[in-house]
Amino acid sequence: MRDSFGSANSSAVPRSGTDTGAGTPMLADLTTIAVGGPVDRFIEPETEEAFVSAVRDADAAKLPLLTIGGGSNLLAGDEPFHGVVIRDGRRSIVVCGAKSSKFGENGDVEIVAEAGVNWDDFVVFCVESGFSGVEGLSGVPGTVGASVVQNIGAYGQEVASTVVSVCAFDREAGVICELSRDDMRFGYRNSALKSTMYKDPAMPADHYFPTPRYVVLSVTFRLHRSDCGEVAFGQLAKAFGVDVGATMPIAEIRRAVLQVRAAKGMLEDARRYASPWMLGCKDDRNVAQAIDADMTADADYDRHSCGSFFMNPILDEHQAAKLPADAPQFDAVRSDGSRGIKTSAAWLIDHAGFAKGYKIRENAHAGLSSLHTLALTNRGGATADDIVQLAQVIQEGVEATFGVRLVPEPVVVGMTLQ
Ligand SMILES: Cc1cc2nc3c(=O)[nH]c(=O)nc-3n(C[C@H](O)[C@H](O)[C@H](O)COP(=O)(O)OP(=O)(O)OC[C@H]3O[C@@H](n4cnc5c(N)ncnc54)[C@H](O)[C@@H]3O)c2cc1C
């Protein structure tokens, strides 16, 4: 188990990825956007018992607690984090067995993955084993544990549709519990776990922030035993020259998803796994393949982001009626269960006058990705403040143009961004 203490008392603003020299990482070392200050203590437990007791101890001592996975949905402030950062060091995936099912001769299979498993390692395992259901989520950075916190989704799939149950440590009751898929109350980039962290969108809750009340220990998935899967997204269908709903080999779907993601700069920079604080977080073979497969790996300045920085807004009919006729609009369900209309955050940003590559000023260290309007990127040497300033300019511009306030998707630690 890695357990390091630092003296994160410096008030100097740290630069991206610098070593504190104090035995603990900077949050810049642990996050894909590569910003964030030093931490007081970093623990990487390798057993469930050690993981749970590290969480229990931090709570008992009333210390701020950040359970971190791949740091791909986190924007951490430049100031020191005076608390404990815990990263699950367990990486096992166990196939529980197949049973006959409505899926006919292919059957289905249950798989338990520990929270610390790298998400894309899990996808590779499933695709290579001939288990379909998560291939559309190829290349999403992060871990299995966090995947159910925000119900990751991409290219027509959401993790929610494969989850049977989540084993978690309930910080309030002090016990390990099993949460069924119903208990998880999955929604668009949301779950019962994420709900414990916010009182309103982007407004942290008093008790459980930046780590939810339930710390995920493992997830049980149910996938289909099949080498083929459904092409569930228009862009992929177009790449294959087939209709949405057509069936293709899951290995092909994975390849196509990775290509589309690479072209949009929506893959993390896999070279980060060579850094001392990330070593061992992802299977070495998959790191090498990810570097090889990424066509845009040279475009460093587009690679350090949190992925989509803003959620697609789900509006009520009154708000949606004010959008221009050509704004994308899809039926959706709002968090209170009422009917809503989802629009595209990328479209709003673009049509509010913020083009790909936009920066507040010529020499700014932060800017929109030159490949994707929705990604705010650290273009080298950015601080968290640089990213927040850019985010605020975009929020204000979109609100002034369309009357819609964009809500950030990443968990914002040590700063305010609403
Ligand atoms: C290039 C890029 C592309 C992306 N594309 C997508 C995409 O297509 N679709 C999508 O949905 N997301 C996408 N994301 C966002 C991100 O990858 C996901 O949100 C991912 O699930 C975050 O996982 P993580 O392990 O990095 O979480 P972290 O960023 O480390 O943590 C995020 C939150 O989860 C909590 N958490 C972490 N581990 C646990 C645990 N074991 N138990 C309880 N809480 C925990 C943390 O405390 C924190 O609140 C992208 C990000 C990047 C950088």
Side-chain angles (χ1 to χ4, degrees):
M1 177 167 92
R2 175 144 60 176
D3 186 355
S4 36
F5 292 84
S7 54
N9 294 316
S10 153
S11 58
V13 175
R15 311 305 298 180
S16 304
T18 354
D19 192 339
T20 63
T24 51
M26 311 266 292
L27 280 162
D29 299 315
L30 306 178
T31 55
T32 50
I33 196 161
V35 302
V39 304
D40 277 4
R41 188 174 179 192
F42 177 68
I43 309 177
E44 192 163 31
E46 279 162 16
T47 63
E48 181 178 292
E49 204 185 359
F51 186 18
V52 169
S53 39
V55 173
R56 254 189 227 280
D57 292 351
D59 282 348
K62 298 199 182 333
L63 290 170
L65 168 65
L66 172 59
T67 303
I68 199 168
S72 61
N73 205 29
L74 270 184
L75 177 62
D78 299 314
E79 295 302 317
F81 180 76
H82 290 303
V84 184
V85 176
I86 305 176
R87 187 170 67 192
D88 186 0
R90 302 167 310 137
R91 322 244 187 268
S92 112
I93 302 174
V94 175
V95 179
C96 302
K99 43 185 182 176
S100 61
S101 78
K102 62 182 176 170
F103 300 106
E105 62 179 13
N106 286 330
D108 61 358
V109 62
E110 287 193 3
I111 307 165
V112 181
E114 288 174 331
V117 171
N118 173 272
W119 172 260
D120 198 53
D121 282 357
F122 176 68
V123 177
V124 170
F125 174 86
C126 294
V127 169
E128 289 182 348
S129 307
F131 303 152
S132 81
V134 289
E135 58 283 350
L137 300 174
S138 293
V140 176
T143 51
V144 164
S147 71
V148 291
V149 175
Q150 88 137 2
N151 183 19
I152 56 168
Y155 302 101
Q157 283 179 347
E158 268 188 347
V159 76
S161 60
T162 60
V163 171
V164 177
S165 62
V166 171
C167 176
F169 175 64
D170 177 354
R171 296 166 66 197
E172 191 158 303
V175 294
I176 294 177
C177 59
E178 197 78 14
L179 301 167
S180 68
R181 188 170 141 191
D182 283 351
D183 295 332
M184 288 294 291
R185 288 186 279 115
F186 287 117
Y188 166 63
R189 299 295 168 274
N190 205 1
S191 70
L193 274 50
K194 188 167 168 186
S195 302
T196 66
M197 292 167 56
Y198 294 97
K199 38 187 168 199
D200 275 315
M203 182 86 78
D206 298 331
H207 292 307
Y208 297 111
F209 188 87
T211 296
R213 167 177 163 179
Y214 300 92
V215 172
V216 178
L217 302 175
S218 63
V219 180
T220 302
F221 298 91
R222 182 173 296 142
L223 301 183
H224 314 321
R225 277 187 184 277
S226 172
D227 286 328
C228 288
E230 194 182 298
V231 179
F233 199 75
Q235 222 171 349
L236 287 185
K238 200 169 155 201
F240 286 125
V242 298
D243 291 331
V244 171
T247 300
M248 294 290 290
I250 50 178
E252 292 291 315
I253 295 177
R254 173 173 169 77
R255 228 186 325 273
V257 167
L258 291 178
Q259 271 173 14
V260 174
R261 280 188 164 278
K264 290 181 180 174
M266 277 291 174
L267 292 172
E268 68 178 328
D269 184 350
R271 290 168 298 182
R272 71 191 286 247
Y273 293 101
S275 77
W277 292 107
M278 293 303 293
L279 269 182
C281 289
K282 182 173 171 71
D283 185 292
D284 287 345
R285 186 182 62 120
N286 296 336
V287 171
Q289 283 181 0
I291 293 170
D292 279 354
D294 191 351
M295 302 181 300
T296 60
D298 291 336
D300 270 349
Y301 44 82
D302 280 322
R303 312 308 312 287
H304 299 117
S305 76
C306 302
S308 300
F309 196 88
F310 296 107
M311 290 195 274
N312 289 324
I314 303 184
L315 309 172
D316 61 31
E317 285 181 14
H318 182 67
Q319 292 169 309
K322 292 187 188 157
L323 291 178
D326 56 340
Q329 301 195 27
F330 309 96
D331 286 339
V333 179
R334 289 161 66 82
S335 53
D336 62 5
S338 63
R339 186 180 168 274
I341 293 141
K342 193 197 273 187
T343 189
S344 156
W347 190 95
L348 296 178
I349 294 170
D350 197 26
H351 288 76
F354 303 104
K356 287 175 188 157
Y358 170 83
K359 290 179 183 177
I360 295 176
R361 47 181 187 279
E362 183 66 28
N363 60 353
H365 296 287
L368 291 184
S369 162
S370 59
L371 301 167
H372 199 301
T373 327
L374 207 43
L376 272 62
T377 54
N378 173 355
R379 303 183 86 75
T383 62
D385 271 348
D386 293 330
I387 307 286
V388 165
Q389 274 177 35
L390 174 64
Q392 285 169 335
V393 167
I394 287 168
Q395 280 178 313
E396 281 155 24
V398 167
E399 193 165 14
T401 313
F402 298 111
V404 174
R405 184 79 181 169
L406 293 177
V407 175
E409 187 178 308
V411 177
V412 179
V413 184
M415 290 178 299
T416 306
L417 182 63
Q418 283 157 356

